Amino acid sequence: MKKKNVMGENMEAGTNAESDKKAGTKINKESDAKKSKKFRKEFLSQKQKDTAFLVIKIILVCMFAGAYSMLYIWDLYTFKGKVYPMRIVVPTLLFVSSSALMFVKIKVNRWVNFVISILVSLILIYGNFVMLQKSQGYEYKLEGDYVKYNIMVLFMIFMVIFAVTNSFKVAIITINIVNIVMGLANFYLVQFRNSGFLAADIVNIKTAANVAGGYSYRMNYRVYLFLISSIAICFFATKLGKNVVIKKFWRLIPMALALLMVINVNDLVQSKEYVKILKVKYFKPQETFNTNGFYITFARSINDLQVKKPKDYSVQKVENLAEQFKGTKTTVSNDKKPNIIMIMSEAYTDFMSFADVPLSEDNMPFFHSLKKNTLSGQMFVSVFAGGTASTEFEALTSNSMAYIPNGITAYTTYINSPMTSLASTLKAQGYGGIIAMHPYKGTGYKRNKVYPLLGFNKFLTMDDFAEDTETYGLHISDKADMERIISEYENYKKNNDKPFFMFNVTMQNHSPFDAAGVSKDIKLGYNINAPQAVQYLNMLRKSDDALKELVTYFKNVKEPTLIIFFGDHEPKIEESFYEEIEKDYKLDEIYENLMKRNTQFVIWANYDMKSDNNMYISANRMSSLVLETAGLAQNGYQQFVSEFSKKVPIITKKGYIGEDGNFYKTGDKTSPYYEWIHNYDIIQYNNIFDTKNRVQDLYKIAQ
């Protein structure tokens, strides 16, 4: 039995061993199968990655080819009709070499790559500054420490990117993209509005996009080479090695350095010591870019966006002023309250009113004929060749751009709650309609959101015009615009006896002035090549005809009616034209301080009133002047502006002209009008910025 058991155990052991062997073989086979499957999966995954990267590279090269092709599309290889071979050779070499390199695999020792990355980064920080300055036609060999200041800003940007990404490759590519965006934005803004790119323009980017159509985006060769070179650098940078260069807690070093650079640059642009050194010429910032450099000027403009509380500001002081200015009462009966139609005409400027412009014929004969029952003259504004909403803001709210940070548009930045305006004042006095109209996109300058806050009942945009509405130039014509005013008035009067108010911002004369189908009957006598100026001057004739049609209609309306017509700013046309205007300027010398900052206005009544055709005002005066002319009540703020305007008839962002005929800066404490200027600043700060403590007594209508 024992033997049998032993034999049985041996047989069982043998069977188990054989079973284990088979099981082991099975496990090994399964393991090999899994490894094979995993290998195939990894192989396919890597293959897919390679394919994806190849597709991305091809797309990027195709995009680069599109940018490169602009050399031939725009004939940038020529200058004054002559071909320059190097203008073809240089961008072609950059395009071909960098594109080919995208498809070449390069392996470099880690430490060699590290050293190369550092050297390339340092060279490119300075190189980006030089490329941008040169591409815009600005000086790059700056005096004093200005080069150092610009390098500090660029180094700060680079270190912040590097600290976040831990990659030289990403930092180099990103800072080049930043440089491209800054350069192109500045170039096109100078082309479109004759003013460079500043921090405030970022706030207005949506409005800029709204009016971007119709302009020519042709580059000059300098900007083109800047673009091609920057893209080529990005392509070359992709060949740098491993992304991650610093591990674990050592990353705190670049983070600390980035923070230190941010603090240093912030201290630099905010320091009182550097206020004069880094001061930005906001009316032509490209001059500051040329002397100080683009990046430090842009950084300084960020600091200038801060709203500074007036010295000695307090709510109590505003309340004291409210006690002094309690508003004025209406002087007309309800049945004598006039309809009020206010028109701000896009880029409207009567150059002949302040310069001896040699035209073959009068381009606005009807406007010039409006002498009887009118108030008219020069109206000075704070903007040039753009910034329509700034003039609109002043005219409707009685606020002044003199106290708004440089480059800021109040509509897009500050009006986020109800604010008293001419619209709300008229509504409080029984007016109806209260319609705003702008025959273009309603989102421009956030008008669709701002107008209800100013008290308007309805806002008409281009979407409210029929598709076949007449256009002139690139936009809805002033004729169609004025006809719509008449239509709105007639529709309102079918069911209402209350006086009617409408505010209209035209669009016909918006730049660019290179549209087909515009008459060129009126000739310009200057010996210059200025086709944009010629087209603009001819377009004004159409505006004049439209105004005549509107006035003629209301001459036959029995109800008393006021038509207010004024421009928002001077047009963006050839600088050579403005140079001729300056030679022929005929206003008093004091007004040369506000050159390029004046338009004209007229207030016409279809009833008898005393005329004054030689007035000098600024846009902030418009609301109170309209209310005075109509015999209507003013709130305390509007009354203050009326009294202020007797002492300071003209105030703009550039400065002001007192009743003594002298020009002053708003910060001039030696001015005999400084107390008025300071009080205006205090009231406006309370109205716009300290809204929680807004003194409402200033905005009540006197009963």
Side-chain angles (χ1 to χ4, degrees):
M1 284 295 292
K2 197 171 182 179
K3 274 187 177 182
K4 188 176 180 180
N5 288 339
V6 170
M7 285 179 65
E9 287 174 3
N10 288 339
M11 287 176 66
E12 188 176 340
T15 303
N16 289 339
E18 189 175 344
S19 177
D20 289 344
K21 187 176 180 181
K22 287 180 179 179
T25 302
K26 186 176 180 181
I27 290 170
N28 288 336
K29 285 181 179 179
E30 288 178 357
S31 178
D32 290 343
K34 285 181 180 179
K35 286 180 180 179
S36 177
K37 187 176 181 181
K38 184 179 180 182
F39 174 78
R40 287 197 303 272
K41 186 177 180 182
E42 288 179 351
F43 174 78
L44 290 172
S45 177
Q46 186 60 45
K47 188 175 181 181
Q48 288 171 343
K49 287 180 182 178
D50 290 343
T51 302
F53 280 127
L54 180 61
V55 170
I56 291 170
K57 288 177 182 178
I58 292 171
I59 291 172
L60 289 173
V61 170
C62 288
M63 291 172 67
F64 194 5
Y68 170 74
S69 68
M70 292 187 292
L71 177 69
Y72 305 99
I73 294 171
W74 290 331
D75 296 333
L76 298 178
Y77 54 86
T78 65
F79 182 68
K80 293 184 178 180
K82 184 179 178 181
V83 175
Y84 287 81
M86 289 306 294
R87 287 192 169 201
I88 299 175
V89 172
V90 174
T92 301
L93 284 175
L94 287 169
F95 168 63
V96 172
S97 59
S98 60
S99 297
L101 197 63
M102 287 285 283
F103 301 96
V104 177
K105 289 186 177 181
I106 299 175
K107 285 189 177 182
V108 181
N109 177 274
R110 180 186 174 190
W111 289 106
V112 172
N113 179 75
F114 183 71
V115 172
I116 291 173
S117 297
I118 292 176
L119 291 174
V120 169
S121 300
L122 293 174
I123 292 169
L124 281 180
I125 287 171
Y126 177 73
N128 274 330
F129 165 69
V130 173
M131 285 197 302
L132 188 141
Q133 291 288 115
K134 289 283 286 182
S135 70
Q136 309 299 310
Y138 305 145
E139 183 58 62
Y140 69 94
K141 294 179 181 178
L142 306 179
E143 296 180 0
D145 293 326
Y146 288 116
V147 172
K148 181 179 73 176
Y149 300 150
N150 284 275
I151 298 304
M152 282 177 64
V153 176
L154 277 162
F155 188 60
M156 176 197 73
I157 297 170
F158 181 88
M159 285 309 304
V160 168
I161 299 167
F162 180 75
V164 172
T165 64
N166 194 24
S167 168
F168 281 113
K169 181 190 296 187
V170 174
I172 290 169
I173 292 172
T174 304
I175 199 169
N176 267 279
I177 292 172
V178 169
N179 210 41
I180 291 171
V181 171
M182 292 292 196
L184 293 182
N186 185 70
F187 172 74
Y188 286 121
L189 282 175
V190 171
Q191 299 304 304
F192 299 161
R193 71 177 191 195
N194 200 33
S195 181
F197 182 49
L198 296 169
D201 293 308
I202 297 173
V203 180
N204 297 323
I205 192 167
K206 190 171 183 180
T207 296
N210 276 344
V211 297
Y215 288 101
S216 169
Y217 288 87
R218 189 182 191 278
M219 300 176 186
N220 60 35
Y221 183 74
R222 281 198 313 261
V223 175
Y224 170 78
L225 188 59
F226 160 73
L227 175 63
I228 296 299
S229 300
S230 299
I231 296 173
I233 290 169
C234 290
F235 276 32
F236 287 133
T238 62
K239 308 319 292 182
L240 291 174
K242 196 174 181 181
N243 281 342
V244 179
V245 294
I246 300 175
K247 296 181 179 179
K248 298 181 180 178
F249 65 89
W250 290 106
R251 286 196 63 188
L252 294 174
I253 295 175
M255 288 181 179
L257 186 56
L259 180 61
L260 181 64
M261 289 305 303
V262 170
I263 293 171
N264 283 340
V265 171
N266 184 62
D267 288 345
L268 176 65
V269 297
Q270 292 200 44
S271 170
K272 291 182 179 179
E273 181 184 350
Y274 291 94
V275 167
K276 289 186 178 180
I277 296 174
L278 301 178
K279 187 175 182 180
V280 182
K281 294 180 180 178
Y282 279 95
F283 291 96
K284 203 166 187 181
Q286 51 268 40
E287 291 183 5
T288 314
F289 294 153
N290 189 56
T291 56
N292 297 4
F294 176 85
Y295 278 100
I296 192 62
T297 302
F298 188 88
R300 176 67 196 183
S301 74
I302 296 173
N303 178 71
D304 288 347
L305 294 178
Q306 298 178 39
V307 178
K308 296 177 182 177
K309 184 184 292 187
K311 189 177 180 181
D312 304 326
Y313 170 81
S314 70
V315 176
Q316 182 61 53
K317 286 196 173 185
V318 183
E319 290 174 346
N320 292 341
L321 288 166
E323 280 294 316
Q324 187 178 348
F325 298 96
K326 296 184 177 182
T328 63
K329 295 183 178 181
T330 184
T331 59
V332 295
S333 59
N334 286 337
D335 62 333
K336 295 294 183 181
K337 289 180 178 178
N339 300 308
I340 296 175
I341 296 167
M342 180 184 281
I343 301 158
M344 187 170 74
S345 182
E346 171 61 37
Y348 186 89
T349 307
D350 178 14
F351 288 107
M352 295 178 71
S353 71
F354 59 86
D356 295 318
V357 184
L359 296 180
S360 59
E361 60 181 278
D362 191 346
N363 68 328
M364 46 182 72
F366 181 73
F367 182 83
H368 293 151
S369 74
L370 291 173
K371 302 297 182 184
K372 187 179 179 182
N373 300 324
T374 61
L375 301 177
S376 62
Q378 302 291 330
M379 188 181 84
F380 292 84
V381 298
S382 292
V383 290
F384 168 69
T388 294
S390 292
T391 301
E392 183 179 333
F393 166 72
E394 291 183 302
L396 286 175
T397 68
S398 299
N399 293 310
S400 173
M401 291 300 295
Y403 307 107
I404 299 295
N406 288 304
I408 282 292
T409 301
Y411 272 18
T412 58
T413 312
Y414 300 132
I415 302 183
N416 301 303
S417 60
M419 178 179 287
T420 299
S421 73
L422 180 61
S424 60
T425 301
L426 292 175
K427 186 185 290 187
Q429 297 184 66
Y431 273 71
I434 320 292
I435 300 168
M437 182 169 77
H438 179 49
Y440 199 59
K441 298 175 183 178
T443 54
Y445 292 115
K446 284 174 54 181
R447 285 189 178 98
N448 58 326
K449 295 182 179 179
V450 169
Y451 281 152
L453 296 174
L454 295 182
F456 286 98
N457 295 335
K458 184 166 70 170
F459 177 32
L460 302 174
T461 70
M462 63 188 299
D463 296 332
D464 297 294
F465 285 75
E467 288 187 10
D468 60 350
T469 298
E470 178 188 79
T471 59
Y472 193 66
L474 299 172
H475 304 288
I476 289 175
S477 70
D478 281 357
K479 176 179 171 60
D481 185 283
M482 303 299 171
E483 288 173 349
R484 184 58 181 265
I485 292 174
I486 294 171
S487 173
E488 290 297 320
Y489 168 77
E490 290 178 342
N491 289 335
Y492 171 78
K493 285 298 179 179
K494 287 177 182 177
N495 303 306
N496 291 279
D497 294 326
K498 293 180 179 180
F500 175 77
F501 172 60
M502 185 170 184
F503 174 67
N504 171 44
V505 181
T506 71
M507 192 64 189
Q508 175 188 289
N509 299 328
H510 198 286
S511 59
F513 301 105
D514 56 4
V518 175
S519 169
K520 293 181 175 60
D521 294 339
I522 298 172
K523 310 298 181 185
L524 179 61
Y526 289 136
N527 187 27
I528 57 173
N529 180 31
Q532 293 178 10
V534 170
Q535 181 171 112
Y536 167 76
L537 293 166
N538 276 273
M539 291 178 77
L540 286 182
R541 181 57 183 267
K542 288 292 184 181
S543 298
D544 195 62
D545 292 341
L547 177 61
K548 181 179 181 180
E549 183 179 332
L550 183 71
V551 170
T552 301
Y553 173 86
F554 279 99
K555 272 184 180 178
N556 299 312
V557 169
K558 292 182 180 180
E559 294 180 339
T561 301
L562 287 177
I563 292 178
I564 301 95
F565 185 90
F566 60 94
D568 56 350
H569 54 71
E570 295 184 34
K572 173 65 175 73
I573 49 182
E574 291 90 353
E575 188 61 28
S576 58
F577 175 79
Y578 282 107
E579 290 171 0
E580 295 296 327
I581 289 292
E582 289 180 20
K583 294 176 187 176
D584 295 330
Y585 197 72
K586 63 184 182 183
L587 296 185
D588 291 344
E589 187 177 342
I590 192 67
Y591 297 106
E592 291 181 9
N593 290 288
L594 300 175
M595 192 80 76
K596 293 185 179 179
R597 297 296 183 277
N598 63 305
T599 177
Q600 293 68 45
F601 79 97
V602 62
I603 299 177
W604 172 83
N606 68 348
Y607 54 89
D608 290 336
M609 75 170 190
K610 186 178 179 181
S611 296
D612 184 349
N613 303 127
N614 192 36
M615 298 181 70
Y616 287 75
I617 67 170
S618 47
N620 66 309
R621 171 70 167 125
M622 185 54 71
S623 282
S624 58
L625 180 59
V626 169
L627 292 168
E628 282 179 18
T629 305
L632 298 171
Q634 299 180 68
N635 62 35
Y637 189 21
Q638 291 157 344
Q639 182 194 13
F640 170 84
V641 173
S642 291
E643 295 301 316
F644 172 89
S645 297
K646 294 174 184 177
K647 300 292 183 181
V648 182
I650 297 167
I651 181 169
T652 73
K653 192 72 185 169
K654 263 191 155 184
Y656 63 92
I657 296 175
E659 65 175 341
D660 61 1
N662 292 320
F663 179 80
Y664 302 91
K665 292 289 187 179
T666 51
D668 185 355
K669 294 183 179 180
T670 65
S671 164
Y673 311 105
Y674 181 73
E675 185 177 354
W676 280 97
I677 292 292
H678 187 55
N679 285 339
Y680 199 172
D681 192 7
I682 286 173
I683 292 176
Q684 183 165 309
Y685 184 87
N686 178 259
N687 184 26
I688 300 176
F689 305 111
D690 193 13
T691 54
K692 290 182 179 179
N693 298 305
R694 185 183 286 162
V695 178
Q696 296 299 336
D697 286 349
L698 265 172
Y699 309 102
K700 291 179 180 177
I701 299 298
Q703 300 298 322

